[in-house]
């Protein structure tokens, strides 16, 4: 198993770089740049705009910008005699703007050396900006995933057991309705009902608004988590329940289930011990993408509930063309995707004794 | 399978009970000593450093923390010595009008006990003019020749030229705690942007002090009890919380539930409900014309070959003429074909205010006889006929038949681009498109991502672009210099993106700016002539401003917002009961 995990992680490296190259190219291909977004409407002379674009390196060719992001630029333009002025250059000119003065030496190390760049707008390391948003996203993502699984799987099992009866019909209609509901609409509806009309639950945000400088532990503010979790989990419940139902029905029509019945086992034992475990296998394939989706931040849910997560951060960063932040979110999402799919594969082994990854 | 049902029912009951128990929290409301809670609809603050600030949310918070050199009066909106927040107690102007000598108050102290002196202003100035800090106060850098601290409380500012807008130029000058800034940033101004102190300012000098910033959630300030200049003798609210609420519907619901103390701007779709509820005493409201207008910028030059107005040596360049919008009569016809009442109802819920030129009706420079174009589709059609745009083929769209700007047969069709995601903006242009189609004009409206729009605008390769313009406070009519003079017609950075050039307008702007004695009535007359020229030539179609409604909880006392300075007495806001 360990060897398999290591092999999969090594195989993921080209996938990871492929994702970053495509993302970087797409990001740079979109019209508008960070300087225009930053200074639009302000009285900034053209030469000042050029100076700032030069400082950020946003006018360099795509491969150079990508290389700078990946492996830094301290080796591209160097100060070899220690006088603070760059004197050698590789891949990029020593004097970019043609003013006769060399540009400052490169000071970026690139993500491979742990330098994820600084946010153009937040003026802080992009990694810091991401990390401070992660707890909120993980909180909401895991809650959504757990509720989705805890409700979705039993509903699917019950629907299969009661095939054609009222529970099956209700769960089927419910799944279709929930899947058809736009998230923003459901979120607003729940907020207006439970937050505004009934006054039972908070109207968004992650914790109570006070002068204190920290959000209390999650156990002291569960009420803030309920509505966003319900919205995020609604789709997952609908999807898992339908997959689980179909999978269970596939399994219960197989020979080994009939054999179990013929041996005189009770229905509960047949369904749960023999049927459920086998029916869970296809569900494992869903889990990987679900983890990716839920950990990647739910943009709409986070926006409606003013939830300070990664999704909202990513949308703002894309709008502002804040490349370092966009790219660190891409890295995070790529890693979540790779790990999600790896987890799916590992769950196969756990659920199906026939699958073994060792030689 | 009964146990499953039982389990499900128990789970549902537990959930319901839990929900009911959680629902017992009291709403926040506003009681004496509570913090003022204001929503932030935008992005996070980026910095608390006045030298490098470049975004609205950060500036909002900075305004609560650092004293400025001069402050305008909230009621007259005129620069006044001795206003709260403003350090200048008095000032004198030299005979040549270039040197301003400010006498600073000696009553202001930073919250660590250090007095606020000219050294704090000088630190701001020296850092601002240092290229390493990337300060955005370009106007200040362009117009001020020098700033000198004569003594601890006397500051001398010399301008490059004597200008009636000198005080407006000094608007961003802010005192920063020199002793602390020297320690934090002094040796490395190039590294200022990267300093952790930009989001953790322990030394401040107004009625609130910085407490904490929770990214994506809130910025918290606490009352500074030793603040020397509170409106009511002491700082009454316990603090000020700038709370992130990213959805307008939720923002309104939080306000209705008493979780927000006040809203600076109620969405237009909610104004009617807030008005009704304020009549019942539930809320207080304040309504005033907005400081923002919606405009449609016409490109008057050839969009196929954009050029700066002048070359490096100052010689005019041939910018060509826009094949349709280059003719003034076409632009006037578009203005005449606009049915403002219909737009106001359809896009602004009746809260719009028509605008006639590049000036708000509330400005001191507004000429009395200036009026928006009337809705007169017949006159619009006649003007187009006169300009050589007629519909000979009967397809409903006019073509050039003897027009002066393009070849015969060219349809009267052009692109209108505006920003996507703004409901009223989208409604406005959809209605306008329909109204113009009634006179045979084919306006192809597209709603674009803001960055794409900015690209198109600055590249000057568009036909017409609809955006917003924020006027400065206090009103400074010289703002028009940045929009309607050749010096601002620079591809990639200038804001005269439509390449408008009327030497008389440039002359009038300079005349009003440099008028000896700076008599306001005389300046208003000069600007009045300019506004009338602009209204006649229509480089922009000034579409609308609107009523801005501020609202506060009904029990909030001393809430007295003024147009242009809503928070002037925020340290006095209080309530006797929840």
């Amino acid at each position: 198993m360990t060897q398999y995990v290591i092999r999969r992680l090594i195989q993921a490296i080209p996938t990871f770089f492929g994702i970053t190259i495509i993302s970087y190219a797409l990001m740079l291909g979109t019209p508008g740049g960070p300087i225009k977004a930053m200074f639009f409407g302000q009285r900034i002379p053209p030469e000042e705009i050029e100076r700032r674009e030069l400082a950020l390196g946003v006018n360099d060719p795509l491969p150079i910008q990508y290389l700078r992001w990946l492996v830094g630029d301290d080796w591209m333009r160097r100060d070899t005699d220690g006088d603070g002025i760059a004197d050698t250059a590789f891949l990029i000119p020593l004097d970019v703007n043609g003013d006769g003065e060399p540009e400052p030496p490169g000071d970026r190390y690139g993500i491979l050396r742990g330098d994820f760049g600084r946010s153009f707008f937040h003026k802080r390391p992009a990694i810091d900006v991401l990390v401070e948003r992660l707890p909120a996203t993980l909180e909401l993502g895991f809650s959504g995933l757990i509720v989705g699984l805890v409700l979705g799987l039993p509903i699917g099992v019950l629907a299969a057991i009661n095939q054609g009866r009222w529970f099956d019909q209700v769960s089927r209609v419910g799944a279709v309705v929930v899947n058809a509901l736009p998230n923003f609409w459901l979120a607003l509806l729940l907020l207006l009902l439970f937050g505004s009309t009934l006054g039972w639950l908070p109207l968004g945000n992650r914790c109570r608004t006070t002068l204190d400088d920290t959000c209390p532990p999650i156990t002291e503010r569960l009420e803030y988590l309920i509505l966003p979790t319900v919205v995020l989990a609604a789709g997952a419940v609908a999807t898992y329940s339908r997959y689980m139902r179909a999978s269970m029905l596939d399994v219960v029509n197989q020979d080994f289930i009939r054999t179990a019945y013929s041996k005189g086992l009770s229905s509960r034992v047949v369904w749960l011990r023999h049927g459920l475990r086998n029916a869970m296998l296809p569900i494992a394939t869903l889990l990987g993408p679900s983890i990716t989706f839920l950990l990647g931040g739910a943009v709409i849910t986070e926006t409606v509930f003013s939830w300070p997560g990664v999704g909202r951060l990513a949308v703002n960063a894309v709008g502002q063309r804040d490349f370092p932040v966009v790219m660190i979110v891409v890295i995070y999402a790529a890693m979540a995707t790779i790990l999600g799919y790896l987890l799916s594969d590992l769950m196969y082994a756990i659920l199906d004794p026939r699958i073994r990854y060792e030689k | 399978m009964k146990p499953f049902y039982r389990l499900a029912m128990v789970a549902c009951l537990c959930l319901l009970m839990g929900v009911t128990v959680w629902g017992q929290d009291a709403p926040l409301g506003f009681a004496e000593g509570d913090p003022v809670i204001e929503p932030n609809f935008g992005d996070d603050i980026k910095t608390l450093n006045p030298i490098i600030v470049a975004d609205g949310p950060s500036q909002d918070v900075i305004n609560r923390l650092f004293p400025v050199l001069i402050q305008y009066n909230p009621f007259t909106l005129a620069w006044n010595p001795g206003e709260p927040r403003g350090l200048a107690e008095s000032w004198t102007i030299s005979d040549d009008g270039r040197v301003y000598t400010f006498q600073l108050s000696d009553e202001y102290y930073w919250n660590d006990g250090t007095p606020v002196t000219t050294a704090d202003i000088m630190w701001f100035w020296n850092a601002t003019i240092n290229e390493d800090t990337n300060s955005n106060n370009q106007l200040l850098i362009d117009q001020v020749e020098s700033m000198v601290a004569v003594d601890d409380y006397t500051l001398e500012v010399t301008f490059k030229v004597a200008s009636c807008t000198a005080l407006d130029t000094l608007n961003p000058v802010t005192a920063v705690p020199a002793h602390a800034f020297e320690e934090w940033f002094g040796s490395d101004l190039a590294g200022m942007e990267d300093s952790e102190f930009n989001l953790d300012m322990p030394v401040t000098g107004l009625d609130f002090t910085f407490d904490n910033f929770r990214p994506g959630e809130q910025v918290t300030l606490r009352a500074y009890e030793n603040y020397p200049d509170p409106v009511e003798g002491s700082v009454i609210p316990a603090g000020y919380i700038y709370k992130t609420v990213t959805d307008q519907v939720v923002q309104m619901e939080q306000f209705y539930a008493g979780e927000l103390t006040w809203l600076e701007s109620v969405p237009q779709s909610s104004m009617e409900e807030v008005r009704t509820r304020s009549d019942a005493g539930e809320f207080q409201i304040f309504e005033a014309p907005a400081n923002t207008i919606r405009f449609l910028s016409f490109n008057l030059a050839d969009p196929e070959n954009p050029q700066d107005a002048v070359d490096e040596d100052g010689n005019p360049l041939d910018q060509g003429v826009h094949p349709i919008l280059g003719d003034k009569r076409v632009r006037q016809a578009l203005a005449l074909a606009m049915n403002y009442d219909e737009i106001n109802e359809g896009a602004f819920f009746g809260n719009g205010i028509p605008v006639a030129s590049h000036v708000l009706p509330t400005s001191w420079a507004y000429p009395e006889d200036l009026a928006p174009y009337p809705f007169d589709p017949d006159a619009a059609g006649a003007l187009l006929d006169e300009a050589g745009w007629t519909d000979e083929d009967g397809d409903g769209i006019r073509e050039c038949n003897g027009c002066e700007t393009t070849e015969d047969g060219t349809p009267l069709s052009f692109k209108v681009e505006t920003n996507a995601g703004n409901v009223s903006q989208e409604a406005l242009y959809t209605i306008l498109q329909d109204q113009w189609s009634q006179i045979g004009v084919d306006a192809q409206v597209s709603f674009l991502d803001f960055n794409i729009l900015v690209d198109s605008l600055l590249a000057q390769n568009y036909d017409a672009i609809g955006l917003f313009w924020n006027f400065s406070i206090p009103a400074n009519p010289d703002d028009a210099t940045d929009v309607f003079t050749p010096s601002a017609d620079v591809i990639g950075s200038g804001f005269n993106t439509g390449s408008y050039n009327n030497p008389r307008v440039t002359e009038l702007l300079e005349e009003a700016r440099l008028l000896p004695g700076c008599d306001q009535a005389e300046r208003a007359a000069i600007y009045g002539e300019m506004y009338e020229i602009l209204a006649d030539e229509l480089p922009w179609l000034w579409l609308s401003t609107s009523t801005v409604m501020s609202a506060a909880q009904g029990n909030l006392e001393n809430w007295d917002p003024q147009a242009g300075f809503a928070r002037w007495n925020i340290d006095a806001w209080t309530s006797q009961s929840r």
Side-chain angles (χ1 to χ4, degrees):
Chain A
M1 180 73 87
T2 310
Q3 278 182 343
Y4 173 77
V5 172
I6 292 169
R7 198 166 65 241
R8 282 294 304 272
L9 288 175
I10 291 171
Q11 284 170 351
I13 292 173
T15 310
F16 174 79
F17 284 111
I19 292 171
T20 60
I21 290 170
I22 292 169
S23 303
Y24 214 98
L26 283 174
M27 186 176 67
L28 262 61
T30 53
I35 299 295
K36 283 172 186 162
M38 212 180 293
F39 299 115
F40 177 67
Q42 296 182 36
R43 187 172 173 162
I44 306 285
E47 52 276 15
E48 181 62 18
I49 288 179
E50 188 188 345
R51 190 178 73 83
R52 295 188 190 197
E53 285 177 338
L54 188 68
L56 295 180
V58 292
N59 285 344
D60 288 333
L62 168 64
I64 298 295
Q65 289 197 52
Y66 180 74
L67 267 182
R68 178 182 289 125
W69 174 79
L70 191 68
V71 290
D73 63 1
D74 56 331
W75 53 276
M76 290 185 192
R77 193 183 293 122
R78 290 190 302 145
D79 166 26
T80 53
D81 56 12
D83 63 356
I85 299 168
D87 44 41
T88 57
F90 178 65
L91 291 179
I92 54 176
L94 202 56
D95 173 19
V96 178
N97 55 4
D99 64 356
E101 297 287 327
E103 309 310 333
D107 57 359
R108 294 281 307 279
Y109 297 108
I111 62 159
L112 295 184
R113 289 187 282 165
D115 175 6
F116 292 90
R118 303 186 74 84
S119 161
F120 297 159
F121 285 78
H122 295 268
K123 318 283 188 195
R124 288 184 288 146
I127 184 84
D128 291 356
V129 177
L130 176 79
V131 165
E132 64 197 16
R133 299 296 188 110
L134 271 182
T137 284
L138 294 180
E139 245 170 46
L140 186 56
F142 276 117
S143 308
L145 186 64
I146 289 166
V147 172
L149 289 171
V150 166
L151 292 182
L153 299 186
I155 288 172
V157 173
L158 287 174
I161 291 170
N162 297 288
Q163 188 188 8
R165 296 190 202 148
W166 69 268
F167 187 87
D168 186 27
Q169 306 289 4
V170 169
S171 69
R172 183 166 53 82
V173 172
V176 172
V177 169
V178 167
N179 262 337
L181 288 178
N183 261 10
F184 78 91
W185 186 83
L186 179 64
L188 285 174
L189 193 77
L190 292 175
L191 266 172
L192 292 175
L193 178 63
F194 291 101
S196 192
T197 307
L198 298 172
W200 289 355
L201 291 169
L203 285 156
N205 296 103
R206 185 173 169 232
C207 38
R208 196 172 170 83
T209 308
T210 66
L211 289 170
D212 299 334
D213 66 350
T214 52
C215 217
I218 189 169
T219 49
E220 294 173 28
R221 52 179 172 81
L222 283 174
E223 68 271 32
Y224 286 87
L225 201 57
I226 292 176
L227 289 183
T229 300
V230 168
V231 172
L232 206 57
V237 170
T239 306
Y240 289 143
S241 65
R242 298 321 290 163
Y243 269 91
M244 193 68 216
R245 176 187 179 276
S247 184
M248 279 296 279
L249 289 176
D250 273 352
V251 171
V252 295
N253 290 321
Q254 290 185 17
D255 292 342
F256 74 92
I257 293 289
R258 271 195 294 279
T259 307
Y261 272 123
S262 65
K263 282 166 68 180
L265 294 177
S266 69
S267 294
R268 183 189 300 176
V269 172
V270 172
W271 280 90
L272 297 186
R273 189 171 299 167
H274 298 278
L276 184 59
R277 183 164 181 175
N278 287 285
M280 285 291 284
L281 206 53
I283 298 298
T285 58
L286 271 182
L287 204 59
S290 300
I291 290 173
T292 306
F293 169 72
L294 293 169
L295 298 193
V299 175
I300 291 170
T301 310
E302 286 181 1
T303 302
V304 174
F305 289 98
S306 304
W307 195 265
V310 173
R312 239 174 65 202
L313 174 75
V315 169
N316 286 338
V318 169
Q320 294 167 333
R321 308 293 190 262
D322 194 347
F323 300 156
V325 174
V326 173
M327 285 312 292
I328 199 158
V329 174
V330 166
I331 292 174
Y332 164 71
M335 288 172 68
T337 305
I338 290 165
L339 292 177
Y341 280 94
L342 180 61
L343 191 64
S344 278
D345 290 349
L346 297 179
M347 284 191 65
Y348 263 96
I350 294 166
L351 294 169
D352 188 346
R354 293 168 299 181
I355 298 173
R356 286 290 175 265
Y357 293 115
E358 275 87 12
K359 286 178 185 172
Chain B
M1 295 297 109
K2 281 177 185 171
F4 283 106
Y5 290 118
R6 281 204 294 272
L7 190 67
M9 286 187 68
V10 168
C12 288
L13 276 172
C14 287
L15 189 67
L16 197 62
M17 283 169 62
V19 160
T20 312
V21 169
W22 278 317
Q24 291 171 357
D25 273 348
L28 275 176
F30 190 83
E32 189 175 10
D34 276 352
V36 170
I37 304 175
E38 178 179 338
N40 170 20
F41 187 61
D43 200 2
D44 270 344
I45 60 163
K46 306 296 189 300
T47 182
L48 295 171
N49 183 343
I51 295 162
I52 57 171
V53 63
D55 63 288
S58 302
Q59 187 67 59
D60 281 346
V61 178
I62 285 171
N63 288 345
R64 310 261 65 76
L65 298 174
F66 295 95
V68 289
L69 175 61
I70 52 168
Q71 177 63 59
Y72 55 87
N73 182 282
F75 301 97
T76 62
L77 294 186
W79 298 110
N80 242 16
E83 292 292 336
R85 274 190 86 230
L87 293 170
E89 277 186 334
S90 64
W91 58 76
T92 56
I93 307 170
S94 65
D95 290 342
D96 67 358
R98 285 182 56 221
V99 182
Y100 283 64
T101 306
F102 295 91
Q103 198 62 43
L104 270 52
S105 165
D106 60 3
E107 290 182 358
Y108 280 81
Y109 286 82
W110 301 107
N111 60 353
D112 63 358
T114 310
V116 179
T117 67
T118 48
D120 302 315
I121 299 280
M122 288 307 297
W123 214 97
F124 173 91
W125 168 248
N126 289 328
T128 296
I129 57 175
N130 189 319
E131 200 179 65
D132 286 343
T133 59
N134 287 328
S135 170
N136 301 312
N137 295 310
Q138 194 63 38
L139 190 67
L140 191 67
I141 297 166
D142 285 349
Q143 300 202 1
V144 172
E145 187 176 281
S146 68
M147 214 176 267
V148 177
V150 178
D151 59 42
D152 279 354
Y153 296 101
T154 309
L155 183 78
E156 197 174 270
V157 179
T158 305
F159 288 84
K160 289 174 182 164
V161 290
S163 165
C164 299
T165 61
L167 290 175
D168 299 297
T169 305
L170 295 178
N171 189 3
V173 177
T174 306
V176 295
H179 59 291
F181 270 46
E182 189 63 38
E183 187 185 329
W184 301 334
F185 313 115
S187 59
D188 180 23
L189 285 182
M192 176 181 269
E193 279 193 341
D194 302 337
S195 169
E196 63 190 40
F197 286 103
N198 289 325
L199 283 173
D200 185 11
M201 288 276 173
V203 185
T204 56
L206 279 183
D207 37 8
F208 294 96
T209 60
F210 175 74
D211 191 273
N212 68 77
F213 163 49
R214 298 212 309 254
E217 295 180 69
Q218 65 182 57
V219 182
T220 307
L221 312 181
R222 285 186 187 267
Y224 174 40
E225 291 167 1
N226 295 326
Y227 175 60
D229 205 11
V231 176
E232 293 287 328
S234 65
V235 180
I236 299 173
Y240 167 90
I241 297 176
Y242 200 40
K243 177 186 182 183
T244 301
V245 186
T246 45
D247 185 276
Q248 275 194 333
V249 175
V250 178
Q251 186 176 294
M252 286 313 301
E253 292 302 324
Q254 290 197 358
F255 177 68
Y256 293 149
E259 292 181 15
L260 301 173
T261 311
W262 81 299
L263 297 174
E264 187 175 20
S265 177
V266 174
Q268 286 184 334
S269 55
S270 301
M271 283 186 183
E272 203 48 53
E273 179 176 357
V274 175
R275 272 191 204 107
T276 307
R277 292 172 72 165
S278 75
D279 288 344
E282 196 174 347
F283 305 124
Q284 306 169 67
I285 58 171
F286 172 77
E287 297 187 64
N291 198 45
T292 303
I293 56 166
R294 294 164 196 263
F295 68 90
L296 183 66
S297 167
F298 294 127
N299 193 348
L300 312 188
D302 181 4
E304 302 290 327
N305 182 29
Q307 300 282 333
D308 292 348
V310 293
D311 64 15
E312 287 175 358
D313 301 323
N315 303 311
L317 293 169
D318 179 12
Q319 297 179 296
V321 176
H322 191 280
I324 295 170
L325 300 166
D327 189 331
K328 180 174 90 173
R329 291 168 296 183
V330 174
R331 303 195 296 273
Q332 289 175 333
L334 295 173
L336 286 164
M338 181 174 79
N339 181 347
Y340 185 80
D341 291 339
E342 192 177 81
I343 288 172
N344 194 14
E345 285 308 312
F348 310 135
F349 298 88
N351 294 307
I353 301 169
V355 184
S357 187
H358 194 66
V359 60
L360 288 171
T362 47
S363 168
W364 56 266
Y366 191 89
E368 279 180 14
D369 48 356
L370 187 67
Y373 280 76
F375 172 52
D376 189 346
D378 293 337
L383 259 179
L384 290 176
D385 289 345
E386 182 192 318
W389 293 94
T390 53
D391 181 15
E392 300 293 325
D393 58 11
D395 66 351
I397 298 170
R398 293 169 184 261
E399 311 88 39
C400 172
N401 291 295
C403 68
E404 294 173 5
T405 48
T406 188
E407 294 170 3
D408 278 2
T410 305
L412 183 40
S413 172
F414 60 92
K415 289 181 186 164
V416 175
E417 299 162 55
T418 190
N419 54 309
N422 181 317
V423 176
S424 55
Q425 188 81 338
E426 290 179 4
L428 159 66
Y429 284 98
T430 305
I431 297 169
L432 205 50
Q433 180 184 36
D434 179 60
Q435 290 175 354
W436 285 345
S437 73
Q438 309 293 317
I439 59 161
V441 174
D442 174 31
Q444 298 167 8
V445 179
S446 44
F447 304 106
L448 304 173
D449 170 78
F450 188 73
N451 286 284
I452 298 174
L453 203 63
V454 170
D455 247 13
S456 183
L457 187 79
L458 295 181
Q460 301 190 8
N461 57 10
Y462 64 94
D463 292 331
I465 282 185
L467 274 175
F468 296 81
W469 179 263
N470 281 320
F471 287 97
S472 54
I473 303 172
N476 176 11
D478 195 53
D479 284 355
T481 303
D482 291 338
V483 194
F484 300 117
T485 61
S487 64
D489 185 3
V490 181
I491 291 170
S493 71
F495 214 80
N496 183 4
T497 56
S499 300
Y500 175 71
N501 183 5
N502 181 333
R504 179 61 186 155
V505 166
T506 307
E507 192 180 293
L508 287 167
L509 278 165
E510 192 169 312
E511 193 182 324
R513 184 170 59 246
L514 305 179
L515 184 74
C518 298
D519 180 77
Q520 197 175 71
E522 279 183 59
R523 291 180 68 212
I526 298 167
Y527 285 125
E529 185 185 339
M530 177 195 72
Y531 291 136
E532 278 164 15
I533 294 173
L534 290 175
D536 176 61
E537 298 197 324
L538 288 175
W540 287 5
L541 179 56
W542 292 275
L543 292 161
S544 183
T545 182
S546 57
T547 301
V548 168
M549 177 193 283
S550 301
Q553 299 297 331
N555 66 350
L556 183 66
E557 293 180 9
N558 296 333
W559 183 70
D560 183 22
Q562 297 299 311
F565 202 174
R567 304 172 189 83
W568 69 275
N569 68 340
I570 192 171
D571 58 30
W573 292 1
T574 184
S575 170
Q576 297 306 317
S577 59
R578 197 179 285 269

